[in-house]
Amino acid sequence: MDPVTAGILVAIGLIVLMAIGTPIAFALGGISLIALVADRGIIELTYFGETFFDRIAEFGFVAIPMFILMGAAVASSPTGRDLYRSLDLWLGKLPGGLAISNIGACSIFAALSGSSPATCAAIGKMGIPEMRARGYPDGVAAGCIAAGGTLGILIPPSVTMIIYGISTETSIGRLFIAGVIPGFMLAGLFMIWTLIACKLAGGYGNPLAATAESVKRTIRENVDANLKALVRVLPFLAVVLGILFALYGGVATPSEAAGVGAFLCLALAIVIYRMWQVGPIKLIMRDSLRESVMIMLIIASAEVFAYALSSLFITQTVAGAIADLEVNRWVLMGVINLFLLVAGFFLPPVAVIVMTAPILLPIILAADFDPYWFAVVLTINLEIGLITPPVGLNLFIINSIAPDISLRDVLMGSLPYALCMILGIVLLCFFPGLATWLPTLIMG
Amino acid sequence: MEHSHIHVAAAPKGIVGGYIRLMDRLSSATAYLAAMLFVAGVAAICHMVVVRYALGMSTSWQTEFTVFSVTAAMLLGAPYVLLTGGHVAVTVLPDSLSGLPRRLMRLTASLAGLAFCAALTYASWLYVFEAWHGGWTTGSVWNPPLWPALLPMALGATLLTLQYIAEILRGEC
Amino acid sequence: SAQTVLRASHQFPGGKGDVRDEMVQLMAKQVADADVDLEIQVHPGESLFGAQEQWGALVRGRLDMTALPLDYASGRHPEFSATLMPGLVRSHERAQRLNDSEFMNMIKDVIQEGGARVLADAWLAGGFASSQNCITSPDTVEGQTMRAAGPAFDEMLETAGASIASMPSSEIYTAMQTGVLDGANTSSGSFVSYRIYEQVTCLTAPGENALWFMYEPILISEQSWSKLNEEQQQALIEAGKAAEEYFTAEAANLDTKMVEVFKENGVEVVTMSPEDYDAWLEIAKQSSYKTFAENVPNGQALIDAALAVE
Ligand code: NA
Ligand code: NA
């Protein structure tokens, strides 16, 4: 079969399998298996175990569950609450201050966690009920947490940057550093939009100034407690800074850094928050196991899918066709962004990266784009996918935290943040230095 | 990802119900094993970091041990994640339907998932038996036999398949 | 008429002058020119199968051809460790003689039993580099943290008093930059392509007494081979010969190029003396050779056969 026909059939098969509700990992794996057996015979089924195992049993991938465990340890401790309280104390008086605190807390938590859904859940648990209680519109409450949570994979550490680094053989430490400035830039854009949204919705919620005198007094009395709370968060931040230092300095591999980070954050959670009972530890293990199993199975299947596409010569045909187009490089970048955006609607970030990075990177390099800059653009595209239906991992989290907010409110609240991210991509195109300046400064 | 309330529907009575309950217990018990292997991986990495960077001594087995224990944890955890509905799927279309079409669509999706898991089970056991029969090792400095590293994949895939059958019987997926 | 397409996979960069990629590309061109309805489709840089997956895929007939560092398959055929065994080869001239020896017949028998056959031989040389002091005699590695390329080298270096950190060759650069590694041991090609010269003060070039050689032949699956007609098989054999000749001419150039690049970057370049080589061989005999002989059924016979070559 010629690669073009094969490619179309595989795409249709995958869309049908996913649309009827087959879990993404099994849909990807199943369609790959069918394509391989149809193309090369039953032998591909017989030795499928080798392909499946050999591709995930890789030291680099170990970093992913480790960073997730690290995030879960921090999330199960009251770190999220502490962070949030401290920021609220300082920003609570501003109009829209609480919503801004939430985005701030999300970006700090993003630096503690490698995953977006974890960031979303850690801050959202506290943030959404609090914002609603203080009269913020449901859409703003849900949207700013959903969007703020996406920063988890842009601000280092980042599960998706690890996969990009492995797939494209680029430096993971450098990728992490490249995400820092764009991450805080996006956080800034989110904050600006939040203020505008509050104004449009006719309310900044009830800022502290407007709340009852008694509440203000309580909070004033709690200044001490809040400062202590901030002090409790600092050791976690120190661990993360240490990890980043070890990574960009090349002292340790990402997996080593992640393993030590997971151990230290678990130990800190136990010591600082006195979580030495079995209960909280069990919860940490359960949550991190659930998220990492889900992600790793998708990665394994996406790896097999990538092998199937290559085996059927679909990858090479598509890459060749794009290379032959000889269009303007910015038109090319636009097309790639559109493609990533659409892929992000349907697939979780990890799947998109495993499947597309090996095809896209040679094209990107041939068109003279910086691979680290592109990683940031790619990540922001996938962040958009986290808050768009039908598969938006952060939307699922919001739904589990606040099932009573209607999907329509959540989507309408999140949409403007998606536009902020598109604006972020545009800014990155005009000012590539946003992504490339810091890595060059630090790593040369 | 925080899911404080993980909901698993109660199983019906009778043999079918008994099978479902048995599978639920097996998958949950395997999740404990997976969590322990996960922690063992973290411990091995920390051990390696201490030995290599602090003591400046040779490291041999830790990298491989971590890879195999963490990979084992991921595959042994898969049945539990299926049990608790954690494998992400696009459910917009089936959710928008109702009655028989919805049931049929969900059943088709489940059968597709089941078929993949069954294929993986078959292929995994084959790999285990070949590695065991051939006396294959990993070819590293440590050079342990390969089959113990593969066995968790075969066990995980088997339980995943059996759990999938339980989910279909439960009428939940 | 319908073309038979053979899929060839390797782990090296494609189209960038890597000698192993060039060998496969040369074979593809030769076979196409032979006009025997045969095409070799090259998948470089692990774009089809990963480096570690290739042997398994080859012997099952999932993959037709590969340029493979044979030691990668030593988990399935422990005999293959002999093809990355310290001091067994010594020089490019001796590698040539080794190719037609009893030793290589024994190795090729194992390859054949495994389900593949050799189309072209290739022995790549390598050396040592260090940021501490020049590595010549065994006592020069004492106290250094080293990265070797395989279990046999690891064992020998450890016995000589080095401590070992295992990592892929792509990580050597940063590990040396940050002081995790003091020295490394890899192929001439990798030393240049990973710019190790920026991090070290001394290079031990292969010269006449090289410890490090690795066998990286071009293999074809026995299943794929048996499906070809005589004409096609003949074309492949001739293309293999051409690739081998190309490699023989290039092999020494890889070392020369490495020496040039390192010298240009101000790195001291030394070679091992026959005495150094003999001292290392003694250590290898007590460590890696001994382990190999103990763990591999005909291990001692393999080593004896290799050492017997003039
Ligand atoms: Na992060
Ligand atoms: Na989406």
Side-chain angles (χ1 to χ4, degrees), chain A residues 40 43-44 47 50-51 54-55 169 249-251 253 307 310-311 313 316, chain C residues 7 41 43 46-50 53 56 60-62 76 171 174 178 180:
Chain A
R40 306 195 61 84
I43 189 169
E44 290 289 335
Y47 299 114
E50 289 186 31
T51 307
D54 292 357
R55 288 186 178 229
E169 292 179 348
V251 176
T253 63
Y307 162 64
S310 189
S311 187
F313 221 69
Q316 298 85 336
Chain C
R7 304 197 301 175
Q41 194 183 73
H43 299 257
E46 301 191 83
S47 58
L48 185 59
F49 286 101
E53 296 172 72
R60 268 69 187 270
R62 295 170 80 192
R76 298 194 184 183
E171 279 177 27
T174 41
T178 52
V180 169

Side-chain angles (χ1 to χ4, degrees), chain A residues 344-347 384-393:
Chain A
F345 285 162
F346 298 99
L347 293 166
I384 297 174
L386 286 167
I387 57 169
T388 55
V391 175
L393 294 183

Side-chain angles (χ1 to χ4, degrees), chain A residues 40-182:
Chain A
R40 306 195 61 84
I42 200 72
I43 189 169
E44 290 289 335
L45 168 64
T46 311
Y47 299 114
F48 180 61
E50 289 186 31
T51 307
F52 193 85
F53 183 84
D54 292 357
R55 288 186 178 229
I56 46 164
E58 161 137 11
F59 191 57
F61 283 143
V62 166
I64 291 166
M66 300 284 173
F67 274 127
I68 289 172
L69 176 59
M70 181 174 121
V74 186
S76 294
S77 71
T79 321
R81 188 198 63 203
D82 282 355
L83 255 179
Y84 184 82
R85 285 271 159 83
S86 309
L87 286 172
D88 185 26
L89 186 77
W90 294 335
L91 300 171
K93 292 196 186 82
L94 294 173
L98 185 57
I100 290 183
S101 304
N102 274 304
I103 291 169
C106 279
S107 25
I108 297 177
F109 198 88
L112 296 169
S113 162
S115 125
S116 284
T119 306
C120 188
I123 303 302
K125 266 190 307 188
M126 284 287 295
I128 293 179
E130 191 81 14
M131 274 193 281
R132 295 175 84 194
R134 291 210 211 157
Y136 281 83
D138 284 355
V140 174
C144 79
I145 294 286
T150 66
L151 296 171
I153 53 169
L154 186 56
I155 296 175
S158 160
V159 163
T160 51
M161 292 285 195
I162 294 170
I163 301 169
Y164 181 91
I166 294 172
S167 308
T168 61
E169 292 179 348
T170 43
S171 153
I172 293 170
R174 201 180 181 97
L175 287 168
F176 279 9
I177 302 294
V180 173
I181 292 179

